[in-house]
């Protein structure tokens, strides 16, 4: 039960697990302004400000999971619960570098950006995949195993097959 939130809940960050027993959201102190639009990534927001742009972090963004405060970030991606509600994944940016967290542990790190949804779970909740861009190359991990690096203008939109056996990724090739 959500009884009190200290700070503003970032738009589009409130998420219940599929079984409705867990909740995660992002919050920050102070006011939300137009320059804060990149603090929380969603499919309609522009890229966060470039690394070194001090406008991004006026107040730290905190990620709250089941009422417990997590680390502070400059920006966050939307959280994703596994279909069985036991696992949670999200991406957070600090000092211009993105990291992906799964089950409270660092899953991948060192990215300069992430897709709008940085991680996905398989329908059976047994597998996870993530995507980070590092030096303009896209790195996809499936169960911590790297795919071949993708040189693309954009990559992401990861999805597992209904039987959880296959992972697909969409990439827009440069110049195409």
């Amino acid at each position: 039960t959500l009884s009190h939130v200290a700070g503003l809940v970032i738009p589009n960050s409130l998420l219940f697990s599929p079984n409705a027993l867990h909740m995660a959201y992002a919050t920050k102190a102070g006011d939300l302004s137009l320059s804060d639009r990149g603090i929380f990534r969603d499919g309609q927001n522009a890229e966060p400000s470039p690394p070194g742009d001090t406008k991004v972090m006026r107040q730290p963004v905190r990620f709250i999971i089941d009422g417990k405060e997590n680390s502070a970030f400059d920006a966050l991606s939307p959280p994703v619960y596994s279909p069985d509600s036991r696992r949670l994944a999200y991406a957070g940016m600090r000092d211009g570098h993105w990291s992906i967290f799964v089950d409270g542990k660092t899953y991948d790190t060192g990215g300069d950006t992430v897709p709008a949804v940085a991680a996905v779970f398989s329908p059976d909740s047994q597998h996870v995949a993530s995507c980070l861009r590092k030096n303009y190359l896209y790195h996809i991990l499936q169960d911590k195993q790297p795919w071949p690096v993708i040189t693309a203008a954009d990559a992401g939109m990861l999805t597992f097959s209904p039987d959880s056996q296959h992972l697909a990724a969409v990439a827009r090739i440069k110049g195409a």
Side-chain angles (χ1 to χ4, degrees), residues 31 63 66 83 100-101 111 134-135 143-145 151 156 171 175:
D31 295 326
F63 198 55
D66 291 335
I100 295 175
F101 300 89
K134 302 176 185 181
N135 298 318
D143 297 328
K144 286 262 198 187
Q145 299 301 310
T151 303

Side-chain angles (χ1 to χ4, degrees), residues 3-173:
S3 58
H4 177 73
V5 176
L8 298 172
V9 174
I10 306 297
N12 301 321
S13 73
L14 186 62
L15 178 71
F16 279 98
S17 62
N19 67 5
L21 296 177
H22 305 282
M23 184 177 67
Y25 62 93
T27 185
K28 76 178 264 276
D31 295 326
L32 278 178
S33 67
L34 289 177
S35 64
D36 291 329
R37 72 180 186 274
I39 284 178
F40 190 76
R41 297 253 351 225
D42 68 30
Q44 288 122 34
N45 277 345
E47 295 267 333
S49 300
D53 185 346
T54 56
K55 291 186 301 188
V56 172
M57 181 147 163
R58 287 218 270 286
Q59 297 288 332
V61 179
R62 303 261 178 210
F63 198 55
I64 312 297
I65 303 168
D66 291 335
K68 296 178 182 155
E69 194 171 290
N70 218 310
S71 300
F73 296 96
D74 299 344
L76 291 166
S77 74
V80 178
Y81 276 103
S82 61
D84 69 2
S85 300
R86 294 181 181 173
R87 306 179 75 191
L88 177 70
Y90 62 94
M93 183 183 73
R94 287 190 195 110
D95 300 322
H97 300 286
W98 284 90
S99 295
I100 295 175
F101 300 89
V102 177
D103 303 330
K105 298 179 178 127
T106 303
Y107 187 78
D108 197 5
T109 189
D112 48 48
T113 193
V114 293
V117 177
V120 296
F121 290 99
S122 61
D124 67 4
S125 301
Q126 299 303 305
H127 307 283
V128 64
S130 67
C131 183
L132 273 180
R133 187 183 78 184
K134 302 176 185 181
N135 298 318
Y136 298 95
L137 299 173
Y138 285 87
H139 297 256
I140 293 174
L141 290 182
Q142 180 179 354
D143 297 328
K144 286 262 198 187
Q145 299 301 310
W147 276 28
V149 174
I150 299 172
T151 303
D154 191 20
M157 293 180 57
L158 302 172
T159 188
F160 279 94
S161 61
D163 67 0
S164 301
Q165 298 303 305
H166 307 281
L167 175 69
V170 175
R172 185 171 51 91
I173 304 303

